[in-house]
Amino acid sequence: GEDVEQSLFLSVREGDSSVINCTYTDSSSTYLYWYKQEPGAGLQLLTYIFSNMDMKQDQRLTVLLNKKDKHLSLRIADTQTGDSAIYFCAEIRGTASKLTFGTGTRLQVTL
Amino acid sequence: DSGVTQTPKHLITATGQRVTLRCSPRSGDLSVYWYQQSLDQGLQFLIQYYNGEERAKGNILERFSAQQFPDLHSELNLSSLELGDSALYFCASSLGGQPLDEQFFGPGTRLTVL
């Protein structure tokens, strides 16, 4: 994940919005993803966005992509304790299928 | 439950040893991917197979090898183990091998090398 960076930790209060940020360096990224990893579990795909899109909304999740700045963000509205997990952004470059993951952001939701 | 199974769940072994991790993809999925998650390296792609053939290779060490069998299950073999090989190894599967095919991840095998 050396080319995809995320802040390590985010703490929010239940009911607030969370914004998790990701920066990437490769302009050939074609698809960008957000995965969630709960303790003891594998990775779960939350949402994805094509590189030719600016925004995608999926229920409580909003993904924003700033291709010029190579910046991706995930906003979780009305954050719940069940959202506590590690969130990874990931990219696919060109026509390859391998995912390049970010460093992961641990989201802690407090009451 | 993603439908991808991995065995064993935990594995503890000594340096210099060899281990085999097993992955059964979701029913109908032809492609299998292996990823390694460690504190040092983060989450990184190792290798991909599609219908028995190697499709893409990532940061996989020469001491590691993998294969996909005719029944589509896959094995990751790790040999001459070192302390730094301690990690969580994930397998994922997808229907095809294309970038847009969603990858479904198994729960992982936690390898501890002592």
Side-chain angles (χ1 to χ4, degrees):
Chain A
E2 61 184 346
D3 296 330
V4 186
E5 293 189 1
Q6 300 176 238
S7 51
L8 285 180
F9 185 76
L10 176 66
S11 181
V12 298
R13 286 202 295 196
E14 190 178 39
D16 288 351
S17 291
S18 309
V19 179
I20 303 171
N21 295 302
C22 170
T23 56
Y24 59 99
T25 57
D26 196 313
S27 57
S28 70
S29 298
T30 48
Y31 309 104
L32 295 131
Y33 302 82
W34 283 102
Y35 281 85
K36 178 182 180 183
Q37 184 180 28
E38 293 180 274
L43 293 150
Q44 176 197 352
L45 177 65
L46 290 177
T47 186
Y48 65 90
I49 189 168
F50 295 121
S51 60
N52 61 358
M53 295 168 66
D54 298 324
M55 185 183 97
K56 182 178 180 182
Q57 188 149 2
D58 186 357
Q59 298 181 351
R60 291 191 299 124
L61 305 178
T62 303
V63 179
L64 293 177
L65 175 61
N66 181 329
K67 210 173 171 190
K68 177 174 162 287
D69 294 339
K70 298 189 181 70
H71 182 264
L72 180 74
S73 68
L74 173 70
R75 178 176 178 269
I76 306 172
D78 187 26
T79 313
Q80 302 298 305
T81 54
D83 295 324
S84 293
I86 301 176
Y87 290 80
F88 291 92
C89 63
E91 59 173 354
I92 277 183
R93 299 168 183 175
T95 56
S97 294
K98 66 168 194 161
L99 288 161
T100 299
F101 285 91
T103 45
T105 299
R106 182 179 294 275
L107 174 66
Q108 179 184 68
V109 183
T110 58
L111 296 173
Chain B
D1 184 354
S2 67
V4 178
T5 58
Q6 291 186 247
T7 56
K9 211 168 176 183
H10 300 277
L11 197 48
I12 301 174
T13 188
T15 54
Q17 295 298 305
R18 174 190 167 94
V19 296
T20 297
L21 312 184
R22 185 188 166 104
C23 168
S24 292
R26 289 188 327 152
S27 177
D29 283 359
L30 297 178
S31 203
V32 168
Y33 309 76
W34 285 98
Y35 292 86
Q36 179 196 57
Q37 185 177 30
S38 66
L39 285 173
D40 292 342
Q41 303 290 329
L43 193 54
Q44 55 179 358
F45 168 77
L46 295 178
I47 198 162
Q48 177 198 0
Y49 280 83
Y50 175 76
N51 206 19
E53 301 285 325
E54 183 183 303
R55 172 67 69 92
K57 218 166 183 175
N59 300 325
I60 187 166
L61 299 171
E62 281 190 21
R63 299 183 285 110
F64 296 0
S65 65
Q67 54 183 328
Q68 186 180 27
F69 294 86
D71 68 352
L72 301 176
H73 91 271
S74 178
E75 291 180 357
L76 179 67
N77 300 296
L78 315 176
S79 61
S80 303
L81 284 167
E82 301 175 1
L83 295 177
D85 298 326
S86 295
L88 195 49
Y89 290 85
F90 287 109
C91 167
S93 75
S94 67
L95 187 60
Q98 300 306 311
L100 247 197
D101 293 328
E102 182 177 348
Q103 295 181 30
F104 294 87
F105 282 77
T109 293
R110 183 169 294 283
L111 173 67
T112 302
V113 182
L114 301 174

